[in-house]
Amino acid sequence: MASTVLRNCSKVLKINVGQFTILPHVSTGVRHKTTIQYATRPDLPKLAYRKMKGKSPGVVFLPGFASHMGGQKAEALEEFCKSLGHSYLRFDYSGCGSSEGEMGNYNIGAWKKDVLYVLDELVEGPQILVGSSMGGWLMLLAALARPEKTAALVGISTAADHFVTAFHALPIETKKEIEEQGFWKFPTKHNEEGFYTLSLDFLKEAENHCILHSPMPVSCPVRLIHGLKDSDVPWHVSMQVAERVLSNDVDVIFRKLGLHRMSEKDDIKLIVYTIDDLIDKLTTLG
C-alpha cells in the first residue's frame, strides 16, 4: 500500500524555487519561447515539440485530451525550468496542436506511443513526467513501460481510465444507444460544442490501457495534485492511483477550490513548487 500524504493546499506551500517567480505574463505565455521542431517517424505522423537543453533530471510535460503544448501550465513550466537550468520538453500528440494528423484518427494507444517515442528519442536520461488530466494517465502508462526513463511523476487532475470509467457508469439504455450509433458525445465544458465525439472504437481501444484494476509496479516518487472542485475528473481518482502504485514515496495534494484545469496563478505556483521539491530530492539522492 502506498504511503499517502494528504495536504489541504488552500494556502500555497512556501518552498524555495530559486529565481523563478510567477509573473503576470505567465497567463499569456513566456516572452522567449523555444522554437517548434518536428520529429519525423517512419509510418507515423510528425510530432511537434519544443525542447530546451539543460541539466538532469529533465522535465517532460504531457497535455490533456484535445489540448496542446501551448497552454498556461506548459509554458509556465518552461520558464521555471529555464530559471533552474534544467532541460524541458513539451509536445503535441498525434492529431493535436501542431503535430500531423486528425485527432479523431488516434487513440490512447497511439498517444502512449508518442510519449514513449519522446522518452526514447528526444530526451536524455530519466525525466520528471508531468501529466495533466489524460496526460496523467499516459504518464502512468509511460512509467510502466519505461521505468528506467522515469525519475518521478507529477499528476495534475490525473484522469486514469477516465473515458472507460465514465462510459461504464452510464445507464444501460444510454450505452445501448451509443453502441448502436457507434459514437458517444462525451460532455465537456471546454469547447464551444459542449461535447467531444468519441467513437466506439476509441472507447474499446482505451479499455486495453486501463490501469486502476491492479497494482502498478511504479517505484519512483509520485506527486498527485487534484482540485476538490474538479467537475470533470473526481478527486478520488488520484486517491485510487496513490493506492495502486507500489512506490512508498507518494503524496496526494488537494486544493480546496481547485478546478480541473488547475491553471490559476496559485495552482501553477503549487505545481512549480512540487516539481522544484522533486528536483531537489532527486539531485540530493543522485
Side-chain angles (χ1 to χ4, degrees):
M1 182 71 71
S3 174
T4 308
V5 178
L6 305 182
R7 303 175 187 164
N8 183 328
C9 290
S10 56
K11 293 185 178 180
V12 178
L13 299 174
K14 294 182 179 179
I15 300 174
N16 177 24
V17 288
Q19 302 301 311
F20 179 78
T21 305
I22 297 287
L23 300 172
H25 72 262
V26 166
S27 61
T28 56
V30 297
R31 287 170 289 188
H32 301 291
K33 294 191 292 186
T34 48
T35 57
I36 294 181
Q37 302 179 64
Y38 293 90
T40 302
R41 306 176 293 171
D43 302 320
L44 291 171
K46 290 182 181 178
L47 271 192
Y49 67 98
R50 294 178 182 268
K51 182 179 180 180
M52 181 174 64
K53 294 182 178 180
K55 296 181 292 185
S56 294
V59 176
V60 176
F61 182 76
L62 282 60
F65 181 78
S67 189
H68 55 81
M69 62 177 167
Q72 293 166 288
K73 295 186 291 294
E75 296 202 337
L77 290 185
E78 180 170 302
E79 183 178 357
F80 164 65
C81 288
K82 182 179 180 181
S83 74
L84 288 188
H86 280 258
S87 67
Y88 179 64
L89 186 143
R90 49 189 166 122
F91 70 102
D92 288 331
Y93 306 121
S94 297
C96 300
S98 298
S99 289
E100 281 188 337
E102 293 294 328
M103 182 177 165
N105 295 330
Y106 301 98
N107 51 35
I108 300 297
W111 295 327
K112 174 187 172 182
K113 288 181 181 178
D114 291 345
V115 179
L116 297 183
Y117 178 85
V118 167
L119 294 179
D120 291 341
E121 303 295 338
L122 300 183
V123 295
E124 299 78 38
Q127 304 290 308
I128 297 175
L129 305 183
V130 182
S132 179
S133 191
M134 184 192 73
W137 184 1
L138 294 171
M139 165 192 83
L140 291 162
L141 292 172
L144 291 168
R146 298 289 189 275
E148 74 283 359
K149 299 286 289 192
T150 308
L153 303 177
V154 179
I156 305 164
S157 309
T158 300
D161 300 4
H162 181 55
F163 299 120
V164 177
T165 303
F167 178 73
H168 287 312
L170 295 173
I172 295 175
E173 296 79 9
T174 304
K175 284 191 281 189
K176 285 183 178 178
E177 289 178 9
I178 292 169
E179 289 168 354
E180 290 172 0
Q181 294 172 348
F183 64 89
W184 179 22
K185 290 187 176 181
F186 185 81
T188 180
K189 300 175 183 176
H190 305 303
N191 65 16
E192 293 181 1
E193 292 82 8
F195 61 87
Y196 296 122
T197 301
L198 304 179
S199 70
L200 197 59
D201 287 341
F202 177 92
L203 294 169
K204 288 181 177 178
E205 196 279 338
E207 290 184 345
N208 298 325
H209 306 287
C210 288
I211 51 178
L212 294 179
H213 50 76
S214 60
M216 285 182 269
V218 172
S219 58
C220 66
V222 179
R223 303 292 179 263
L224 301 164
I225 304 172
H226 219 121
L228 295 182
K229 298 291 185 181
D230 188 338
S231 60
D232 295 279
V233 179
W235 56 264
H236 64 72
V237 174
S238 284
M239 290 297 297
Q240 288 179 280
V241 172
E243 291 171 356
R244 290 300 188 188
V245 295
L246 298 183
S247 173
N248 289 322
D249 187 358
V250 179
D251 289 356
V252 179
I253 306 167
F254 290 135
R255 283 191 60 78
K256 184 176 181 179
L257 300 180
L259 303 176
H260 181 65
R261 286 192 167 178
M262 294 290 289
S263 293
E264 297 298 322
K265 182 177 178 181
D266 282 349
D267 297 334
I268 293 175
K269 279 185 181 180
L270 175 60
I271 294 164
V272 164
Y273 294 161
T274 301
I275 296 169
D276 181 74
D277 190 46
L278 281 171
I279 288 175
D280 184 60
K281 181 186 186 77
L282 293 168
T283 303
T284 302
L285 290 174

